[in-house]
Amino acid sequence: MLQQEIRRVEPSPGEADTSDMVWIPGGTFRMGSDHHYPEEAPAHRATVDGFRIDRTPVTNRQFKEFVRSTGYVTFAEIAPDPKNYPDALPQLIFAGSLVFSPLSRVTDLQDWSQWWTLMRGADWRHPYGPKSSINVLDKHPVVHVSYSDAAAYATWAGKELPTEAEWEFAARGGLDGEEFAWGNTLTPGGKHMANTWQGNFPNQNVCEDGYDRTSPVTAFPPNGYGLYDMIGNVWEWTTDWWSTRHEADAAKPCCIPQNPRGGPESESYDPSQPQIMIPRKVIKGGSHLCAPNYCRRYRPAARHAEPIDTSTSHLGFRCVVRAVRTP
């Protein structure tokens, strides 16, 4: 089994800088949804304590500061150890990451390999391959970060990664039970509220929202808590191990889960690939690649599984500071 090493990073001296974080008061809410993908069900009540959360996803500028301070090298910048991937083709054992690059003609929407390429030299500094750069993308979310990269940054910043429940509660912005982070209409009054895909995925993006790839983290309106990009732009890591469904609603109000932490690691593996023993975390929020004809996960309740050793051109993160730190 591959266990991705979280490379040790010393926390910054002193308390975490919370100047660009938003206080979320906590409370009880309806988590999940019974109306979309099966992994979002059943909708159930959950309670979270108050916490602070980054106003935006971590940006390229912020991640640069982290790397400059620590000398940290991300997972995508290190060639994999072949012994961890015994079934991999030798020509695929190189430093790189997954980049969205669809074929000119896609025949099967179930075959994601038609639009994802494991690209040599793709990493957070080179989001679309070795000839690309982030020189003018300081305000865009950092991408090509694996779970261990996100956790290392959070440690350095004196913060943590959010649980799925914390993330979803914050994303809802105080609108309990609404479809989107801003209400029940995807584009109220024709206004795009998040960076998503318009058109026929994966070959036609008409860019009605103004962006083909990632966007600056404050390009779209904040939710009711003043948080930007909780929906769309990039997916975001959480600390919870993946589970195929939520737990059912508690029978009594006294038994509502308090600060739930998801299922066990042992149940997070992909049953369709039993030969690949890589645990998976929950990611939230959808991305600029979410489209009505393919991935309607631009909603707070939406969730997806991501192997901890994977980084992509549409996956980032943000951090939290808890009032009472959880184990």
Side-chain angles (χ1 to χ4, degrees):
M1 180 187 72
L2 180 147
Q3 273 288 7
Q4 190 185 16
E5 177 187 0
I6 297 179
R7 290 179 278 287
R8 296 192 179 278
V9 171
E10 292 298 320
S12 292
E15 295 183 358
D17 180 2
T18 60
S19 60
D20 202 30
M21 303 185 83
V22 174
W23 171 252
I24 306 299
T28 300
F29 71 111
R30 295 295 292 180
M31 184 176 177
S33 171
D34 295 321
H35 307 298
H36 294 278
Y37 296 99
E39 67 269 13
E40 300 170 19
H44 61 287
R45 290 168 295 173
T47 299
V48 294
D49 293 334
F51 59 96
R52 290 179 173 82
I53 189 168
D54 288 340
R55 189 169 62 97
T56 71
V58 172
T59 63
N60 285 316
R61 180 189 60 78
Q62 291 170 314
F63 204 77
K64 280 182 196 173
E65 182 181 350
F66 160 60
V67 171
R68 190 179 301 121
S69 173
T70 63
Y72 185 85
V73 180
T74 62
F75 196 76
E77 297 172 277
I78 302 171
D81 187 338
K83 72 181 183 184
N84 289 327
Y85 302 90
D87 298 325
L89 296 173
Q91 60 267 33
L92 295 179
I93 301 295
F94 55 76
S97 189
L98 288 169
V99 177
F100 177 72
S101 50
L103 299 175
S104 58
R105 183 171 178 269
V106 169
T107 58
D108 181 5
L109 283 179
Q110 301 301 312
D111 180 10
W112 57 265
S113 68
Q114 294 179 96
W115 54 86
W116 284 109
T117 300
L118 180 58
M119 190 173 293
R120 187 188 299 270
D123 55 47
W124 73 274
R125 291 187 179 90
H126 309 96
Y128 307 112
K131 294 183 179 180
S132 65
S133 78
I134 55 170
N135 290 346
V136 295
L137 301 179
D138 268 3
K139 295 182 180 180
H140 287 235
V142 66
V143 292
H144 295 297
V145 284
S146 70
Y147 180 77
S148 69
D149 300 331
Y153 175 96
T155 296
W156 170 78
K159 303 177 182 181
E160 298 177 83
L161 297 178
T163 66
E164 180 179 3
E166 289 169 338
W167 193 101
E168 186 170 329
F169 184 83
R172 291 185 177 277
L175 299 178
D176 191 21
E178 299 289 298
E179 190 86 342
F180 304 104
W182 48 83
N184 279 320
T185 303
L186 177 60
T187 54
K191 182 178 181 180
H192 288 280
M193 303 296 288
N195 181 2
T196 60
W197 183 287
Q198 299 88 52
N200 192 40
F201 181 89
N203 293 116
Q204 179 203 33
N205 187 355
V206 296
C207 300
E208 292 174 353
D209 60 9
Y211 297 96
D212 182 34
R213 294 177 174 173
T214 61
S215 51
V217 294
T218 57
F220 292 86
N223 72 1
Y225 287 143
L227 302 173
Y228 290 87
D229 272 3
M230 295 300 288
I231 300 299
N233 210 3
V234 294
W235 285 95
E236 299 183 16
W237 287 106
T238 75
T239 60
D240 285 10
W241 296 112
W242 173 255
S243 57
T244 56
R245 287 178 65 83
H246 287 306
E247 295 289 333
D249 228 343
K252 299 178 181 179
C254 63
C255 304
I256 294 172
Q258 182 87 19
N259 300 315
R261 297 302 298 259
E265 176 185 344
S266 59
E267 296 181 11
S268 72
Y269 303 109
D270 187 350
S272 68
Q273 296 180 302
Q275 76 282 10
I276 301 178
M277 297 296 289
I278 301 174
R280 299 179 295 171
K281 293 284 188 177
V282 175
I283 58 173
K284 298 283 283 184
S287 78
H288 61 282
L289 301 182
C290 284
N293 74 305
Y294 177 68
C295 174
R296 299 183 304 277
R297 290 186 170 90
Y298 31 62
R299 297 168 292 103
R303 55 202 301 268
H304 200 58
E306 191 77 2
I308 61 169
D309 70 333
T310 300
S311 59
T312 73
S313 59
H314 74 333
L315 174 58
F317 68 102
R318 76 179 74 210
C319 302
V320 299
V321 171
R322 298 185 178 95
V324 178
R325 297 175 72 91
T326 55

Coordinates of all heavy atoms in Angstrom, one line a residue, residues 3-86:
Q3 N 1.6 4.9 1.1 CA 1.2 5.9 2.0 C 2.0 7.1 1.7 O 3.2 7.1 1.8 CB 1.5 5.5 3.5 CG 0.4 4.7 4.1 CD -0.8 5.6 4.4 OE1 -0.9 6.7 4.1 NE2 -1.8 5.0 5.1
Q4 N 1.3 8.2 1.3 CA 2.0 9.4 0.9 C 2.6 10.1 2.1 O 1.9 10.3 3.1 CB 1.1 10.4 0.2 CG 1.8 11.5 -0.5 CD 0.8 12.5 -1.0 OE1 -0.4 12.5 -0.7 NE2 1.3 13.4 -1.9
E5 N 3.9 10.2 2.1 CA 4.6 10.8 3.2 C 4.3 12.3 3.3 O 4.4 13.0 2.3 CB 6.1 10.7 3.1 CG 6.9 11.4 4.2 CD 8.4 11.3 4.0 OE1 8.8 10.8 2.9 OE2 9.1 11.8 4.8
I6 N 3.9 12.8 4.4 CA 3.7 14.2 4.6 C 5.0 14.8 5.1 O 5.4 14.6 6.2 CB 2.6 14.5 5.6 CG1 1.2 14.0 5.1 CG2 2.5 16.0 5.9 CD1 0.1 14.3 6.0
R7 N 5.7 15.4 4.2 CA 7.1 15.9 4.5 C 7.0 16.9 5.6 O 6.2 17.8 5.6 CB 7.7 16.5 3.2 CG 8.1 15.4 2.2 CD 8.7 15.9 1.0 NE 7.7 16.4 0.0 CZ 6.9 15.6 -0.7 NH1 6.9 14.3 -0.5 NH2 6.1 16.1 -1.5
R8 N 7.9 16.8 6.6 CA 7.9 17.6 7.8 C 8.2 19.0 7.5 O 9.2 19.3 6.9 CB 8.8 17.0 8.9 CG 8.3 15.6 9.3 CD 9.1 15.2 10.6 NE 8.6 13.9 11.0 CZ 7.5 13.7 11.7 NH1 6.8 14.7 12.0 NH2 7.2 12.4 12.1
V9 N 7.3 19.9 7.9 CA 7.5 21.3 7.8 C 7.3 22.0 9.2 O 6.3 21.7 9.8 CB 6.6 21.9 6.7 CG1 6.7 23.4 6.7 CG2 6.9 21.4 5.4
E10 N 8.2 22.8 9.6 CA 8.0 23.5 10.9 C 7.0 24.6 10.8 O 7.0 25.3 9.8 CB 9.3 24.1 11.4 CG 10.4 23.0 11.7 CD 9.9 22.2 12.9 OE1 9.3 22.7 13.8 OE2 10.2 20.9 12.8
P11 N 6.1 24.7 11.8 CA 5.1 25.8 11.8 C 5.8 27.1 11.8 O 6.9 27.3 12.4 CB 4.3 25.5 13.0 CG 4.5 24.1 13.4 CD 5.9 23.8 12.9
S12 N 5.2 28.2 11.3 CA 5.7 29.5 11.4 C 5.7 29.9 12.9 O 4.8 29.5 13.7 CB 4.8 30.5 10.7 OG 5.0 30.3 9.3
P13 N 6.7 30.7 13.4 CA 6.7 31.1 14.8 C 5.6 31.9 15.1 O 5.1 32.7 14.3 CB 8.1 31.8 14.9 CG 8.4 32.3 13.5 CD 7.8 31.2 12.6
G14 N 5.0 31.8 16.3 CA 3.9 32.6 16.8 C 2.6 32.0 16.3 O 2.5 30.9 15.7
E15 N 1.5 32.8 16.5 CA 0.2 32.3 16.1 C 0.0 32.5 14.6 O 0.7 33.2 13.9 CB -0.8 33.1 16.9 CG -0.8 32.9 18.4 CD -1.9 33.7 19.1 OE1 -2.7 34.4 18.4 OE2 -2.0 33.5 20.3
A16 N -1.0 31.7 14.1 CA -1.3 31.8 12.7 C -1.8 33.2 12.4 O -2.5 33.9 13.2 CB -2.4 30.8 12.4
D17 N -1.5 33.7 11.2 CA -2.0 35.0 10.7 C -3.5 34.7 10.2 O -3.7 34.1 9.2 CB -1.2 35.4 9.5 CG -1.7 36.8 9.0 OD1 -2.6 37.3 9.5 OD2 -1.1 37.3 8.0
T18 N -4.4 35.3 11.0 CA -5.8 35.1 10.7 C -6.5 36.4 10.1 O -7.7 36.5 10.0 CB -6.6 34.7 11.9 OG1 -6.5 35.7 12.9 CG2 -6.1 33.4 12.5
S19 N -5.6 37.3 9.6 CA -6.1 38.6 9.1 C -7.0 38.4 7.9 O -7.8 39.3 7.6 CB -5.0 39.6 8.9 OG -4.1 39.0 7.9
D20 N -6.7 37.4 7.1 CA -7.5 37.2 5.9 C -8.4 35.9 6.0 O -8.6 35.3 5.0 CB -6.6 37.1 4.6 CG -7.4 37.5 3.4 OD1 -8.3 38.3 3.4 OD2 -7.0 36.9 2.3
M21 N -8.8 35.7 7.2 CA -9.7 34.6 7.5 C -11.0 35.1 8.0 O -11.1 36.3 8.4 CB -9.1 33.6 8.5 CG -7.8 33.0 8.1 SD -7.1 31.8 9.3 CE -8.0 30.3 8.7
V22 N -12.1 34.3 7.8 CA -13.4 34.7 8.2 C -13.9 33.8 9.3 O -13.7 32.6 9.3 CB -14.4 34.6 7.0 CG1 -15.8 34.9 7.4 CG2 -14.0 35.5 5.9
W23 N -14.5 34.4 10.4 CA -15.0 33.6 11.5 C -16.4 33.0 11.1 O -17.3 33.7 10.7 CB -15.2 34.5 12.7 CG -15.9 33.8 13.8 CD1 -17.2 34.0 14.3 CD2 -15.4 32.7 14.6 NE1 -17.5 33.2 15.3 CE2 -16.5 32.3 15.5 CE3 -14.2 32.0 14.7 CZ2 -16.3 31.3 16.5 CZ3 -14.1 30.9 15.6 CH2 -15.1 30.6 16.5
I24 N -16.5 31.7 11.2 CA -17.7 31.0 10.9 C -18.3 30.6 12.3 O -17.7 29.8 13.0 CB -17.5 29.8 10.0 CG1 -16.8 30.2 8.8 CG2 -18.8 29.1 9.7 CD1 -17.5 31.2 7.9
P25 N -19.5 31.0 12.6 CA -20.0 30.8 14.0 C -20.3 29.4 14.4 O -20.5 29.1 15.6 CB -21.2 31.7 14.1 CG -21.7 31.9 12.7 CD -20.4 31.8 11.8
G26 N -20.4 28.5 13.4 CA -20.8 27.2 13.7 C -22.3 27.0 13.9 O -23.1 28.0 13.9
G27 N -22.8 25.8 14.0 CA -24.2 25.6 14.1 C -24.6 24.2 13.5 O -23.7 23.4 13.2
T28 N -25.9 24.0 13.5 CA -26.4 22.7 13.0 C -27.0 23.0 11.6 O -27.7 24.0 11.4 CB -27.5 22.1 13.9 OG1 -26.9 21.9 15.2 CG2 -28.1 20.8 13.4
F29 N -26.8 22.1 10.6 CA -27.3 22.3 9.3 C -27.6 21.0 8.6 O -27.2 19.9 9.1 CB -26.2 23.1 8.4 CG -25.0 22.3 8.1 CD1 -24.7 21.9 6.8 CD2 -24.1 21.9 9.1 CE1 -23.6 21.2 6.4 CE2 -22.9 21.2 8.7 CZ -22.7 20.8 7.4
R30 N -28.3 21.0 7.5 CA -28.5 19.8 6.7 C -27.3 19.6 5.7 O -27.1 20.4 4.8 CB -29.8 20.0 5.8 CG -31.1 20.1 6.6 CD -31.4 18.9 7.4 NE -31.8 17.8 6.6 CZ -32.1 16.6 7.1 NH1 -32.1 16.4 8.4 NH2 -32.4 15.6 6.3
M31 N -26.6 18.6 6.0 CA -25.4 18.2 5.2 C -25.8 17.2 4.2 O -26.5 16.3 4.4 CB -24.3 17.7 6.1 CG -23.0 17.4 5.5 SD -21.8 16.9 6.7 CE -20.4 16.5 5.7
G32 N -25.2 17.4 2.9 CA -25.5 16.4 1.9 C -26.8 16.8 1.1 O -27.4 17.8 1.3
S33 N -27.2 15.9 0.2 CA -28.4 16.1 -0.6 C -28.9 14.8 -1.1 O -28.2 13.8 -1.3 CB -28.0 16.9 -1.9 OG -29.1 17.0 -2.8
D34 N -30.3 14.7 -1.2 CA -30.9 13.5 -1.7 C -31.3 13.6 -3.1 O -32.1 12.8 -3.7 CB -32.2 13.3 -0.8 CG -31.9 12.9 0.6 OD1 -30.9 12.2 0.8 OD2 -32.6 13.4 1.5
H35 N -30.9 14.7 -3.8 CA -31.4 15.0 -5.2 C -30.4 14.9 -6.3 O -30.8 15.2 -7.4 CB -32.1 16.4 -5.1 CG -33.1 16.6 -4.0 ND1 -34.2 15.8 -3.9 CD2 -33.0 17.4 -2.9 CE1 -34.9 16.2 -2.9 NE2 -34.2 17.1 -2.2
H36 N -29.2 14.5 -6.0 CA -28.2 14.5 -7.1 C -27.4 13.2 -7.2 O -28.0 12.2 -7.5 CB -27.3 15.7 -6.9 CG -28.0 17.0 -7.1 ND1 -28.2 17.6 -8.3 CD2 -28.5 17.9 -6.2 CE1 -28.8 18.7 -8.2 NE2 -29.1 18.9 -6.9
Y37 N -26.2 13.2 -6.8 CA -25.3 12.0 -6.9 C -25.5 11.2 -5.7 O -25.7 11.7 -4.6 CB -23.9 12.4 -7.1 CG -23.6 13.1 -8.4 CD1 -23.5 14.5 -8.5 CD2 -23.5 12.4 -9.6 CE1 -23.3 15.2 -9.6 CE2 -23.3 13.1 -10.8 CZ -23.2 14.5 -10.8 OH -23.0 15.2 -12.0
P38 N -25.4 9.8 -5.8 CA -25.7 9.0 -4.6 C -24.8 9.2 -3.5 O -25.2 9.0 -2.3 CB -25.6 7.5 -5.2 CG -24.9 7.7 -6.5 CD -25.2 9.0 -7.0
E39 N -23.5 9.6 -3.7 CA -22.6 9.7 -2.6 C -22.9 10.9 -1.8 O -22.3 11.1 -0.7 CB -21.1 9.8 -3.2 CG -20.9 11.1 -4.0 CD -21.1 10.9 -5.5 OE1 -21.8 9.9 -5.9 OE2 -20.7 11.8 -6.2
E40 N -23.8 11.8 -2.2 CA -24.2 13.0 -1.4 C -25.3 12.6 -0.4 O -25.6 13.4 0.5 CB -24.7 14.1 -2.3 CG -23.6 14.6 -3.3 CD -24.2 15.5 -4.3 OE1 -25.3 16.1 -4.1 OE2 -23.6 15.7 -5.4
A41 N -25.9 11.5 -0.5 CA -27.0 11.1 0.3 C -26.6 10.2 1.4 O -25.5 9.6 1.4 CB -28.1 10.4 -0.6
P42 N -27.4 10.1 2.5 CA -28.6 10.8 2.7 C -28.3 12.2 3.3 O -27.4 12.4 4.0 CB -29.4 10.0 3.7 CG -28.4 9.3 4.5 CD -27.2 9.0 3.5
A43 N -29.2 13.2 3.0 CA -29.1 14.5 3.7 C -29.3 14.2 5.1 O -30.2 13.4 5.5 CB -30.1 15.5 3.1
H44 N -28.6 14.9 6.0 CA -28.7 14.6 7.4 C -28.3 15.8 8.2 O -27.5 16.7 7.7 CB -27.8 13.4 7.8 CG -26.4 13.6 7.5 ND1 -25.9 13.6 6.3 CD2 -25.3 13.9 8.4 CE1 -24.6 13.9 6.3 NE2 -24.2 14.0 7.6
R45 N -28.7 15.9 9.4 CA -28.2 17.0 10.3 C -26.8 16.8 10.9 O -26.5 15.6 11.2 CB -29.2 17.2 11.4 CG -30.6 17.8 11.0 CD -31.6 17.7 12.1 NE -31.9 16.3 12.4 CZ -32.7 15.9 13.4 NH1 -33.2 16.8 14.2 NH2 -32.9 14.6 13.6
A46 N -26.1 17.8 10.9 CA -24.7 17.7 11.5 C -24.4 19.1 12.2 O -25.0 20.1 11.8 CB -23.6 17.5 10.4
T47 N -23.6 19.1 13.2 CA -23.2 20.3 13.9 C -21.7 20.5 13.9 O -20.9 19.5 14.0 CB -23.7 20.1 15.4 OG1 -25.1 20.0 15.4 CG2 -23.3 21.4 16.2
V48 N -21.3 21.7 13.7 CA -19.9 22.1 13.7 C -19.7 23.2 14.7 O -20.6 24.1 14.8 CB -19.3 22.4 12.3 CG1 -19.3 21.3 11.4 CG2 -20.1 23.6 11.7
D49 N -18.6 23.2 15.4 CA -18.2 24.3 16.3 C -17.7 25.5 15.4 O -17.4 25.3 14.2 CB -17.1 23.9 17.3 CG -17.6 22.9 18.3 OD1 -18.9 22.8 18.5 OD2 -16.8 22.1 18.8
G50 N -17.6 26.6 16.0 CA -17.1 27.8 15.3 C -15.6 27.6 14.9 O -14.8 27.0 15.6
F51 N -15.2 28.2 13.8 CA -13.8 28.1 13.3 C -13.6 29.3 12.3 O -14.5 29.9 11.9 CB -13.6 26.8 12.6 CG -14.5 26.6 11.4 CD1 -14.1 26.9 10.1 CD2 -15.8 26.0 11.6 CE1 -15.0 26.7 9.0 CE2 -16.7 25.8 10.5 CZ -16.2 26.1 9.2
R52 N -12.3 29.5 12.1 CA -11.9 30.5 11.1 C -11.5 29.8 9.8 O -10.9 28.7 9.9 CB -10.8 31.4 11.6 CG -11.2 32.4 12.6 CD -10.1 33.2 13.1 NE -10.5 34.3 14.1 CZ -10.8 34.1 15.4 NH1 -10.6 32.9 15.9 NH2 -11.2 35.0 16.1
I53 N -11.8 30.4 8.6 CA -11.5 29.7 7.4 C -10.9 30.8 6.4 O -11.3 32.0 6.5 CB -12.7 29.0 6.8 CG1 -12.3 28.2 5.5 CG2 -13.8 30.0 6.4 CD1 -13.4 27.2 5.1
D54 N -10.0 30.4 5.6 CA -9.4 31.3 4.6 C -10.5 31.9 3.8 O -11.4 31.2 3.3 CB -8.4 30.6 3.8 CG -7.1 30.3 4.5 OD1 -6.8 30.9 5.5 OD2 -6.4 29.4 4.0
R55 N -10.4 33.2 3.5 CA -11.4 33.9 2.7 C -11.4 33.4 1.3 O -12.4 33.4 0.6 CB -11.1 35.4 2.8 CG -12.1 36.3 2.1 CD -11.9 37.8 2.5 NE -10.6 38.2 1.9 CZ -10.4 38.9 0.8 NH1 -11.5 39.2 0.1 NH2 -9.2 39.2 0.4
T56 N -10.2 33.0 0.8 CA -10.1 32.5 -0.6 C -9.3 31.2 -0.5 O -8.6 30.9 0.5 CB -9.3 33.5 -1.4 OG1 -7.9 33.5 -1.1 CG2 -9.9 34.9 -1.3
P57 N -9.2 30.5 -1.6 CA -8.3 29.4 -1.7 C -6.9 29.9 -1.6 O -6.6 31.1 -1.9 CB -8.5 28.8 -3.1 CG -9.9 29.3 -3.5 CD -10.1 30.6 -2.8
V58 N -5.9 29.1 -1.2 CA -4.5 29.5 -1.2 C -4.1 29.9 -2.6 O -4.3 29.1 -3.5 CB -3.6 28.4 -0.6 CG1 -2.2 28.7 -0.7 CG2 -4.0 28.2 0.9
T59 N -3.4 31.0 -2.7 CA -3.0 31.5 -4.1 C -1.6 31.1 -4.4 O -0.8 30.7 -3.5 CB -3.2 33.0 -4.1 OG1 -2.2 33.6 -3.2 CG2 -4.6 33.5 -3.8
N60 N -1.3 31.3 -5.7 CA 0.1 31.1 -6.1 C 1.1 32.0 -5.3 O 2.2 31.5 -4.9 CB 0.3 31.3 -7.6 CG -0.3 30.2 -8.4 OD1 -0.1 29.0 -8.2 ND2 -1.1 30.6 -9.5
R61 N 0.7 33.2 -5.1 CA 1.6 34.1 -4.3 C 1.8 33.6 -2.9 O 3.0 33.6 -2.4 CB 0.9 35.5 -4.3 CG 1.8 36.5 -3.5 CD 1.1 37.8 -3.2 NE -0.2 37.6 -2.5 CZ -0.2 37.4 -1.2 NH1 0.9 37.4 -0.5 NH2 -1.3 37.3 -0.5
Q62 N 0.8 33.1 -2.2 CA 0.9 32.6 -0.9 C 1.8 31.3 -0.9 O 2.6 31.1 0.0 CB -0.4 32.3 -0.3 CG -1.2 33.6 0.0 CD -2.7 33.3 0.4 OE1 -3.3 32.5 -0.3 NE2 -3.1 33.9 1.4
F63 N 1.6 30.4 -1.9 CA 2.3 29.2 -1.9 C 3.8 29.5 -2.2 O 4.7 28.8 -1.7 CB 1.7 28.2 -3.0 CG 2.1 26.8 -2.7 CD1 1.4 26.1 -1.7 CD2 3.0 26.1 -3.4 CE1 1.7 24.7 -1.5 CE2 3.3 24.8 -3.2 CZ 2.7 24.1 -2.2
K64 N 4.1 30.5 -3.1 CA 5.5 30.9 -3.3 C 6.2 31.3 -2.0 O 7.3 30.9 -1.8 CB 5.5 32.1 -4.3 CG 5.3 31.9 -5.7 CD 5.4 33.2 -6.4 CE 4.9 33.2 -7.8 NZ 4.8 34.5 -8.5
E65 N 5.5 32.0 -1.2 CA 6.1 32.4 0.1 C 6.4 31.2 0.9 O 7.5 31.2 1.6 CB 5.1 33.4 0.8 CG 5.6 33.9 2.1 CD 4.6 34.8 2.9 OE1 3.6 35.1 2.3 OE2 4.8 35.1 4.0
F66 N 5.5 30.3 1.0 CA 5.8 29.0 1.7 C 7.0 28.3 1.2 O 7.9 27.9 2.0 CB 4.5 28.1 1.6 CG 4.7 26.7 1.9 CD1 5.2 26.3 3.1 CD2 4.4 25.7 0.9 CE1 5.3 24.9 3.4 CE2 4.5 24.4 1.2 CZ 5.0 24.0 2.4
V67 N 7.1 28.1 -0.1 CA 8.2 27.4 -0.7 C 9.5 28.2 -0.5 O 10.6 27.6 -0.2 CB 8.0 27.2 -2.2 CG1 9.2 26.6 -2.9 CG2 6.8 26.2 -2.4
R68 N 9.5 29.5 -0.7 CA 10.6 30.4 -0.4 C 11.1 30.2 1.0 O 12.3 30.2 1.3 CB 10.3 31.8 -0.8 CG 11.5 32.7 -0.8 CD 11.0 34.2 -1.2 NE 10.4 34.2 -2.5 CZ 9.1 34.6 -2.7 NH1 8.4 35.0 -1.6 NH2 8.6 34.7 -3.9
S69 N 10.2 30.2 1.9 CA 10.6 30.1 3.4 C 11.1 28.8 3.8 O 12.0 28.7 4.7 CB 9.3 30.5 4.2 OG 9.6 30.3 5.6
T70 N 10.6 27.7 3.2 CA 10.9 26.3 3.7 C 11.8 25.5 2.7 O 12.3 24.5 3.1 CB 9.6 25.5 3.9 OG1 8.9 25.4 2.7 CG2 8.7 26.3 4.9
G71 N 11.8 25.9 1.4 CA 12.5 25.0 0.4 C 11.7 23.8 0.1 O 12.2 22.8 -0.5
Y72 N 10.4 23.8 0.4 CA 9.6 22.6 0.2 C 9.5 22.3 -1.3 O 9.4 23.1 -2.2 CB 8.2 22.9 0.7 CG 7.2 21.8 0.6 CD1 7.2 20.8 1.6 CD2 6.4 21.6 -0.5 CE1 6.3 19.7 1.6 CE2 5.5 20.5 -0.5 CZ 5.5 19.6 0.5 OH 4.6 18.5 0.4
V73 N 9.5 20.9 -1.6 CA 9.4 20.4 -2.9 C 8.1 19.6 -3.0 O 7.9 18.7 -2.2 CB 10.6 19.5 -3.3 CG1 10.4 19.0 -4.7 CG2 11.9 20.3 -3.2
T74 N 7.2 19.9 -3.9 CA 5.9 19.3 -4.0 C 6.0 17.9 -4.5 O 7.0 17.5 -5.2 CB 4.9 20.1 -4.8 OG1 5.4 20.2 -6.2 CG2 4.7 21.5 -4.3
F75 N 4.9 17.1 -4.3 CA 4.8 15.7 -4.8 C 5.0 15.6 -6.3 O 5.7 14.7 -6.7 CB 3.5 15.2 -4.3 CG 3.4 13.7 -4.4 CD1 4.0 12.9 -3.4 CD2 2.7 13.0 -5.4 CE1 3.9 11.5 -3.4 CE2 2.6 11.6 -5.4 CZ 3.2 10.9 -4.4
A76 N 4.5 16.5 -7.0 CA 4.5 16.5 -8.5 C 5.9 16.7 -9.0 O 6.2 16.4 -10.2 CB 3.6 17.5 -9.1
E77 N 6.8 17.3 -8.2 CA 8.2 17.7 -8.6 C 9.2 16.5 -8.4 O 10.3 16.7 -8.6 CB 8.6 18.9 -7.9 CG 7.8 20.1 -8.3 CD 8.1 21.4 -7.5 OE1 7.6 21.5 -6.3 OE2 8.9 22.2 -7.9
I78 N 8.7 15.4 -7.8 CA 9.6 14.3 -7.4 C 9.2 13.1 -8.2 O 8.0 12.7 -8.2 CB 9.5 14.0 -5.9 CG1 9.8 15.3 -5.1 CG2 10.3 12.8 -5.5 CD1 9.5 15.1 -3.6
A79 N 10.1 12.5 -8.9 CA 9.8 11.2 -9.6 C 9.3 10.1 -8.7 O 9.9 9.9 -7.6 CB 11.0 10.8 -10.4
P80 N 8.3 9.4 -9.0 CA 7.7 8.4 -8.1 C 8.7 7.2 -7.9 O 9.5 7.0 -8.8 CB 6.5 7.9 -8.8 CG 6.1 9.0 -9.8 CD 7.4 9.6 -10.2
D81 N 8.6 6.6 -6.8 CA 9.4 5.4 -6.5 C 8.7 4.2 -7.2 O 7.6 3.9 -6.9 CB 9.5 5.1 -5.0 CG 10.5 4.0 -4.7 OD1 10.7 3.1 -5.6 OD2 10.9 3.9 -3.6
P82 N 9.4 3.6 -8.2 CA 8.7 2.5 -9.0 C 8.1 1.4 -8.1 O 7.1 0.8 -8.4 CB 9.8 1.9 -9.9 CG 10.7 3.1 -10.0 CD 10.7 3.8 -8.7
K83 N 8.7 1.1 -6.9 CA 8.2 0.1 -6.1 C 6.8 0.4 -5.5 O 6.1 -0.6 -5.1 CB 9.2 -0.2 -4.9 CG 9.2 0.9 -3.8 CD 10.2 0.5 -2.7 CE 10.2 1.6 -1.6 NZ 11.2 1.3 -0.6
N84 N 6.4 1.7 -5.5 CA 5.1 2.0 -5.0 C 4.1 1.9 -6.1 O 2.9 1.9 -5.8 CB 5.1 3.5 -4.5 CG 5.8 3.7 -3.2 OD1 5.8 2.7 -2.4 ND2 6.4 4.8 -3.0
Y85 N 4.5 1.7 -7.4 CA 3.6 1.5 -8.5 C 4.0 0.4 -9.3 O 4.5 0.5 -10.5 CB 3.6 2.8 -9.3 CG 3.2 4.1 -8.5 CD1 4.2 4.8 -7.9 CD2 1.9 4.4 -8.4 CE1 3.8 5.9 -7.1 CE2 1.5 5.5 -7.7 CZ 2.5 6.3 -7.0 OH 2.1 7.4 -6.3
P86 N 3.9 -0.9 -8.8 CA 4.5 -2.0 -9.5 C 3.8 -2.3 -10.8 O 4.5 -3.0 -11.7 CB 4.2 -3.2 -8.5 CG 3.1 -2.7 -7.6 CD 3.3 -1.2 -7.5

